[in-house]
Amino acid sequence: MKYNLIKQEREDWCVPACLQMILPKLSQEEIAKGFPKKSSGLEFNLELLNKFLHSFNLSSSYYNPFLDLVEADLFLRDSKGHILAAYDFTRLSNNGKKDGDHISIVEDYNPVSDFVRMVDPSKPNLIAVNLDLLVRSMHPDLNNSYGFYNIR
């Protein structure tokens, strides 16, 4: 899917920025009110996401390649709807400049190159990431909410 690139309004508002790309009539501030605050950003998991999405007649399912039997490439190829990727930015970027949890919205997956294109709301721009690297940054030992969220 194609998305309008939206920059997160606060350093720790990647969730509101990604959801604003799906629900453009809402402000990031309105979206942020739907998620509890924590010391570094907003809490995020499947239960909280579905609670927020319910009033828009949307729901989400969760997939983590370490916990499910379906391979990540097949999941991305066959998924319908909007896909959020929750991952460890530091592990993915390998630059050590940004710490921890991050969410991006998946624009597409190319099975030939094995690259996932995602909108990174901290920039905002499209980034191309090798699927294997993305999957390694989603290990549940790092955070049990890391993985893909398929919103329909």
Side-chain angles (χ1 to χ4, degrees):
M1 285 190 184
K2 297 282 184 198
Y3 297 95
N4 289 328
L5 302 180
I6 295 176
K7 183 171 176 48
Q8 59 194 59
E9 295 172 3
R10 296 189 187 171
E11 185 177 348
D12 54 2
W13 274 16
C14 53
V15 172
C18 286
L19 290 175
Q20 188 179 36
M21 291 181 228
I22 298 167
L23 302 164
K25 293 182 180 181
L26 296 177
S27 71
Q28 290 182 33
E29 188 169 333
E30 291 170 312
I31 295 168
K33 289 177 184 175
F35 294 87
K37 293 178 184 172
K38 63 179 188 175
S39 60
S40 61
L42 302 172
E43 284 187 44
F44 182 82
N45 60 43
L46 182 61
E47 181 182 349
L48 293 170
L49 179 60
N50 276 325
K51 184 178 175 184
F52 174 80
L53 293 172
H54 179 75
S55 60
F56 303 100
N57 293 318
L58 295 169
S59 66
S60 180
S61 57
Y62 171 76
Y63 165 79
N64 183 294
F66 292 96
L67 304 174
D68 294 288
L69 296 176
V70 177
E71 293 292 328
D73 59 337
L74 298 177
F75 168 80
L76 289 171
R77 186 194 70 195
D78 296 341
S79 291
K80 307 287 186 252
H82 308 280
I83 301 173
L84 299 180
Y87 56 94
D88 183 312
F89 183 86
T90 305
R91 183 172 282 239
L92 179 68
S93 65
N94 218 5
N95 68 13
K97 290 184 181 177
K98 185 169 178 174
D99 188 26
D101 306 340
H102 194 53
I103 294 193
S104 296
I105 190 164
V106 174
E107 184 157 297
D108 59 35
Y109 167 64
N110 183 327
V112 175
S113 67
D114 209 29
F115 272 79
V116 179
R117 283 192 326 155
M118 302 187 298
V119 177
D120 180 352
S122 67
K123 307 249 183 299
N125 64 5
L126 282 174
I127 58 173
V129 179
N130 176 273
L131 179 58
D132 187 52
L133 291 175
L134 180 59
V135 165
R136 282 190 266 157
S137 72
M138 294 178 163
H139 200 286
D141 288 348
L142 300 169
N143 181 321
N144 62 6
S145 293
Y146 285 168
F148 293 105
Y149 293 80
N150 189 3
I151 299 173
R152 289 174 270 134

